[in-house]
Amino acid sequence: MIENGLYPENSKLPSESELSHMRGISRMTLRQALLLLQEDRYIVMRLGSGSYVSKVPSEKRAGLEKKDKPGLYKLAVWQQRA
């Protein structure tokens, strides 16, 4: 979604509940994915305001380099569906 330009830099992402519904995943799984994106500085999460795209990745990644993180398989599937 970020990689394909649907949400360009500095744009606000839909709410967690909207994104989880759009992707057909639980909100907990979505939150884990958002935290990984924040850790890699692709998004900024602002309490009470939402999540914003901070940069667009230059290469496609499924997050497999973070296999020690919980929920990785679902994250990889979620990103590949986008």
Side-chain angles (χ1 to χ4, degrees):
M1 295 170 73
I2 293 172
E3 290 176 334
N4 67 13
L6 183 60
Y7 297 104
E9 289 185 33
N10 301 315
S11 65
K12 183 176 180 180
L13 296 176
S15 69
E16 289 180 9
S17 59
E18 289 175 291
L19 282 172
S20 63
H21 180 73
M22 288 167 56
R23 293 287 165 221
I25 59 176
S26 72
R27 194 163 162 250
M28 180 183 293
T29 299
L30 175 78
R31 184 118 176 101
Q32 290 175 339
L34 291 175
L35 289 171
L36 289 173
L37 289 171
Q38 180 180 21
E39 183 178 299
D40 287 343
R41 298 186 176 151
Y42 290 117
I43 66 168
V44 174
M45 297 170 73
R46 297 184 186 141
L47 187 62
S49 179
S51 298
Y52 298 84
V53 178
S54 58
K55 69 177 181 177
V56 176
S58 58
E59 61 184 52
K60 191 165 187 149
R61 296 172 27 183
L64 296 177
E65 69 281 358
K66 295 184 177 230
K67 59 186 170 189
D68 61 327
K69 302 283 184 178
L72 172 69
Y73 175 73
K74 290 180 182 179
L75 170 65
V77 170
W78 176 63
Q79 288 183 338
Q80 289 173 1
R81 285 190 211 161

